[in-house]
């Protein structure tokens, strides 16, 4: 710490020149396996299913990310719906569209990549355990 960075009562103060992040020479790369796992984690969150049940594949499609997902469909038990006729989340196609949008946004925010396509394939049924509702997994 230089003598000019200490302010009143020992609090560090930076000038406007030092407040910008410093750029360092070098590069950052994300391996294909890491990108697959990142996308799987984003999809698990988007579709509200356990990460172990998600399979994700990431491919380059003319400079954009193309994603293939295989996830189970979340269904609540009929007793949980309390006799309501709603399907708790919309139709299967509405759920896929919502999940697709959340996955796209997550990839763009976390990886900084432009997403061109997200294919969703539902591979089974996931019934959340009501005893674990609200628990951190």
């Amino acid at each position: 710490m230089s003598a000019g960075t200490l302010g009143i009562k020992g609090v560090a103060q930076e000038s406007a020149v030092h407040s910008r992040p410093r750029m360092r020479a070098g590069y950052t790369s994300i391996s294909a396996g890491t990108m697959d796992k990142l996308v799987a984690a984003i999809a698990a969150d988007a579709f509200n299913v356990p990460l172990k049940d998600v399979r994700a594949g990431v491919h380059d499609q003319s400079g954009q990310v193309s994603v293939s997902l295989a996830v189970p469909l979340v269904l609540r038990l009929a007793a949980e719906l309390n006799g309501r006729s709603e399907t708790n989340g919309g139709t299967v196609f509405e759920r896929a569209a919502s999940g697709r949008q959340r996955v796209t946004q997550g990839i763009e925010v976390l990886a900084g990549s432009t997403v061109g396509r997200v294919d969703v394939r539902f591979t089974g049924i996931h019934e959340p355990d009501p005893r674990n509702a609200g628990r951190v997994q």
Side-chain angles (χ1 to χ4, degrees):
M1 185 180 314
S2 70
T5 60
L6 285 180
I8 301 173
K9 298 181 184 178
V11 177
Q13 297 176 348
E14 295 182 351
S15 68
V17 173
H18 295 296
S19 65
R20 285 183 259 142
R22 294 180 123 177
M23 299 300 290
R24 301 271 187 217
Y27 67 93
T28 302
S29 65
I30 302 173
S31 71
T34 301
M35 192 67 169
D36 288 346
K37 290 178 183 178
L38 175 65
V39 170
I42 293 168
D45 182 58
F47 287 95
N48 197 26
V49 296
L51 178 58
K52 66 179 181 62
D53 294 341
V54 177
R55 290 189 315 270
V58 180
H59 311 282
D60 181 18
Q61 183 181 31
S62 303
Q64 293 185 329
V65 174
S66 174
V67 177
S68 299
L69 296 173
V71 298
L73 177 64
V74 175
L75 287 182
R76 307 265 185 240
L77 298 174
E80 277 189 72
L81 295 176
N82 296 324
R84 294 178 290 182
S85 62
E86 63 190 60
T87 59
N88 196 22
T91 67
V92 173
F93 299 105
E94 291 168 340
R95 294 177 194 205
S98 174
R100 189 179 291 116
Q101 181 181 17
R102 290 184 64 196
V103 167
T104 298
Q105 290 171 345
I107 293 169
E108 289 175 352
V109 168
L110 292 174
S113 299
T114 303
V115 179
R117 175 182 192 101
V118 178
D119 295 326
V120 177
R121 183 174 45 133
F122 290 117
T123 57
I125 302 296
H126 174 73
E127 292 184 34
D129 187 353
R131 294 175 294 172
N132 293 333
R135 286 188 182 174
V136 176
Q137 295 182 6

